[in-house]
Amino acid sequence: MRTRITAFTLGLTAATALSGVLFAAPADAADPLRIGFITTLSTPAGYIGEDERDGFKLAITQEDGKLGGVPVELVVEDDALKPANAKQIAERMTGDGIRLFTGVNFSNVLSAVAPTVLKTGAFYVSLNPGPSVFAGGGCNANYFVASYQNDNFHEAGGLAANELGYKKVVILAPNYQAGRDALEGFKRTFKGQVVSEIYTKLDQTDFSVELARIRSAAPDAIYQFHPGGAGINFAKQYANSGLAKEIPMVLPVFSMDARMMAATGDAAEGYYIASNWSAGLDNAANKDFVAAFEKTYGRKPTIYAAQAYDTAKLIASGLDKVDGDIEKQDAFRAALKAADFTSVRGSFAFAQNQHPILDWYLMRVERGADGQLADTVVRKVATAMQDAYAAECKM
């Protein structure tokens, strides 16, 4: 599926969009800068791509179809969570002259897309995954990560488990790059004992065997990373098994974001979450973003939307400084590296490997005044955390 999003389609009202009527571009409109946006819009993980696309679109909408004053056209395609599909799309887009890319939301897909894009001399700015293979010796001058390095979320999870006093933990994640990075990150900071390390399938839906192993191990808590539909299934099955009443759960926000909370009902109440962002994070940029997203789309934003919005703002800061001419590569790189924008996550800077340095928080899923579940900040667990691979990058 391919969608072209311009200043004109972004400006449609809901009624116009439903009617299928589009406005024609003025004859004298400047050619927009095309941004390739390859993401997952189908499969049970499709809502993640939707939130990323919509968060990025919001920044464009707020500039009336521009980023950094530069008219842009977002070329969106669905990778269906298949690396081979994504690679073919990237090859087609680069062949069509697109020189700036973002959108991928899974590390295994990014591992197919990023090299394809970078070998042509184009730019890739990640709005979600930050696999370790591109963070150290595999870093690249045209590759930026606006979101996080994969391990960081789980290093924060280890710190959160320490804060909560857990001594024996079972850890679980899917057996792919981000899952392996997740458990390595958790083990790097957790001071207690990992009594069992369990890898699941990326598309797994039934976790009965894993739940039996958890019960047998009798840990103080579990730490699990399962984004999207897999995480919803895991949380429901964990609650139905009765384990949720016996063994607390610590998890990254990707395993229980706002849309997952809505899908799991009461199952997530009391879970502890490690994250660098919350809808309730107290800064002006975040409050404005959350209000604008809810007004525009009629739903609460997830961290995926927040990171995508930040990514768009980062790109805008770069485009502004080169007047949209990204063929001025040295200048565009320097402009991106400066990170001259206000992040909804608060403090933001790049390490030498062009991955972000961020603050991290322990949160708890609690009911708000409106009776709805939401993650609530308990305390900060890390300030200005840099990833473990930055020193290996020789840029």
Side-chain angles (χ1 to χ4, degrees):
M1 181 178 70
R2 180 171 179 165
T3 307
R4 290 184 177 274
I5 301 169
T6 68
F8 309 100
T9 55
L10 285 170
L12 296 177
T13 63
T16 305
L18 289 173
S19 71
V21 177
L22 297 177
F23 295 109
D28 61 349
D31 289 338
L33 174 72
R34 292 178 298 162
I35 300 175
F37 197 97
I38 304 168
T39 196
T40 304
L41 294 169
S42 55
T43 81
Y47 82 87
I48 298 175
E50 291 174 1
D51 268 23
E52 290 166 340
R53 177 199 62 199
D54 291 350
F56 201 96
K57 282 169 52 181
L58 178 61
I60 299 174
T61 302
Q62 291 175 332
E63 278 200 56
D64 295 324
K66 300 177 181 179
L67 286 177
V70 177
V72 297
E73 177 185 348
L74 201 61
V75 184
V76 180
E77 292 210 34
D78 177 20
D79 58 40
L81 193 46
K82 295 179 180 179
N85 285 4
K87 180 178 173 64
Q88 290 176 354
I89 294 167
E91 289 173 341
R92 186 171 66 250
M93 286 185 174
T94 54
D96 195 33
I98 295 178
R99 305 284 290 164
L100 177 59
F101 290 80
T102 188
V104 172
N105 56 18
F106 282 88
S107 290
N108 58 330
V109 179
L110 184 63
S111 293
V113 170
T116 302
V117 167
L118 297 172
K119 72 180 181 182
T120 70
F123 286 87
Y124 192 90
V125 184
S126 180
L127 52 64
N128 189 45
S132 57
V133 291
F134 303 133
C139 62
N140 185 289
N142 283 11
Y143 174 80
F144 290 79
V145 175
S147 48
Y148 55 90
Q149 195 280 311
N150 283 356
D151 299 35
N152 277 168
F153 253 98
H154 314 289
E155 289 167 350
L159 294 173
N162 295 336
E163 291 269 348
L164 293 164
Y166 301 137
K167 303 300 182 184
K168 297 194 307 177
V169 173
V170 170
I171 58 177
L172 308 91
N175 191 14
Y176 78 119
Q177 184 67 55
R180 294 187 293 272
D181 286 349
L183 300 194
E184 287 303 312
F186 182 87
K187 289 186 294 183
R188 190 174 292 125
T189 57
F190 180 55
K191 295 179 180 179
Q193 178 186 5
V194 174
V195 294
S196 185
E197 183 172 337
I198 301 172
Y199 284 99
T200 59
K201 296 179 180 178
L202 184 57
D203 58 353
Q204 190 163 326
T205 57
D206 181 1
F207 296 94
S208 55
V209 172
E210 289 77 14
L211 297 182
R213 290 180 63 182
I214 292 169
R215 192 182 298 277
S216 177
D220 296 336
I222 71 165
Y223 180 81
Q224 64 92 3
F225 165 63
H226 289 89
I232 293 170
N233 289 332
F234 187 95
K236 286 181 175 180
Q237 291 169 35
Y238 197 72
N240 291 338
S241 72
L243 282 170
K245 295 180 180 179
E246 304 169 20
I247 303 171
M249 187 185 298
V250 183
L251 63 171
V253 71
F254 299 124
S255 298
M256 192 52 64
D257 60 48
R259 292 178 76 168
M260 294 172 77
M261 285 182 203
T264 54
D266 296 335
E269 189 168 7
Y271 286 176
Y272 287 101
I273 290 176
S275 185
N276 58 48
W277 177 85
S278 165
L281 206 58
D282 190 14
N283 68 68
N286 189 51
K287 290 177 180 178
D288 290 346
F289 159 70
V290 172
F293 191 93
E294 290 181 346
K295 180 178 179 180
T296 303
Y297 300 113
R299 67 180 189 272
K300 295 180 179 179
T302 60
I303 190 170
Y304 301 107
Q307 291 176 162
Y309 183 79
D310 266 2
T311 302
K313 291 294 189 179
L314 169 66
I315 289 173
S317 72
L319 294 178
D320 176 61
K321 291 182 179 180
V322 297
D323 295 323
D325 186 359
I326 63 174
E327 293 309 313
K328 297 176 180 176
Q329 292 211 347
D330 289 343
F332 188 52
R333 288 187 202 103
L336 290 176
K337 187 70 176 284
D340 189 15
F341 75 104
T342 302
S343 170
V344 300
R345 290 170 286 176
S347 175
F348 185 105
F350 277 122
Q352 67 190 56
N353 61 349
Q354 298 174 170
H355 286 62
I357 299 170
L358 300 166
D359 296 340
W360 294 85
Y361 301 88
L362 167 64
M363 303 178 185
R364 190 171 189 272
V365 179
E366 299 175 344
R367 293 196 182 277
D370 60 359
Q372 300 299 308
L373 291 177
D375 47 38
T376 302
V377 175
V378 176
R379 66 177 69 91
K380 186 186 291 186
V381 295
T383 299
M385 180 188 285
Q386 179 172 288
D387 68 86
Y389 306 95
E392 300 172 16
C393 176
K394 303 306 178 184
M395 286 192 296

